[in-house]
Amino acid sequence: MEASDVSPVQRRTFLMVMAAAVGGVLTAAAAWPLLRFLSPVGAGDAAGKVEIAREQVPVGAVHFFQHRGRPAVVLQQTAGQFIALSAVCTHLGCVISWEAAKGEFLCPCHGGRFSSEGQVLGGPPPSPLESLPVVVDGGLLIIG
């Protein structure tokens, strides 16, 4: 067996540097979600308005999109009647889904149910979904 040219002090120093590097990476990975949570949400464009083509929302259907960095949804209940809502459940912030067969929104996390207008129908949500203003301008829906 050959004798090693690396002294125990050099080996110990190398291991300490590597342990510090791994610890730094793990600390950064753990801190990133906390920093994202504490940072303000971007407002998108200056006015906070989103334009969606009217044909993307057929009667009885929904269209999910981003409004000011958060999920939102627009629904056309009857021809020409559009409702836009935040797609974030008011209970714990999960993203809701549309149950077309029932005509209501469902929160998959804890079973919260919302009407097509965003009112609470059941489950733990304490308040209705946030309503967003919708303006129909020709073939466009201007939301926000």
Side-chain angles (χ1 to χ4, degrees):
M1 224 167 166
E2 289 183 24
S4 175
D5 291 339
V6 179
S7 71
V9 173
Q10 288 175 321
R11 193 173 301 135
R12 190 176 310 120
T13 302
F14 173 76
L15 288 174
M16 288 177 59
V17 168
M18 292 308 295
V22 169
V25 169
L26 291 176
T27 300
W32 179 250
L34 179 64
L35 293 173
R36 292 281 298 153
F37 177 75
L38 295 175
S39 66
V41 177
D45 64 351
K49 297 192 185 292
V50 175
E51 293 182 354
I52 297 174
R54 194 172 173 170
E55 60 267 6
Q56 287 186 306
V57 190
V59 176
V62 298
H63 176 74
F64 285 86
F65 61 97
Q66 291 289 314
H67 179 259
R68 295 185 177 178
R70 294 186 174 257
V73 62
V74 62
L75 163 72
Q76 183 175 187
Q77 288 186 314
T78 59
Q81 180 188 3
F82 295 93
I83 296 174
L85 303 165
S86 168
V88 178
C89 179
T90 56
H91 177 229
L92 289 178
C94 298
V95 177
I96 59 170
S97 62
W98 174 245
E99 297 290 321
K102 295 180 181 177
E104 60 187 42
F105 294 101
L106 175 68
C107 177
C109 295
H110 299 106
R113 294 176 32 240
F114 299 92
S115 71
S116 58
E117 292 84 22
Q119 298 301 314
V120 177
L121 297 176
S127 58
L129 296 172
E130 177 187 355
S131 179
L132 305 170
V134 180
V135 175
V136 179
D137 184 14
L140 287 177
L141 301 174
I142 302 171
I143 301 169

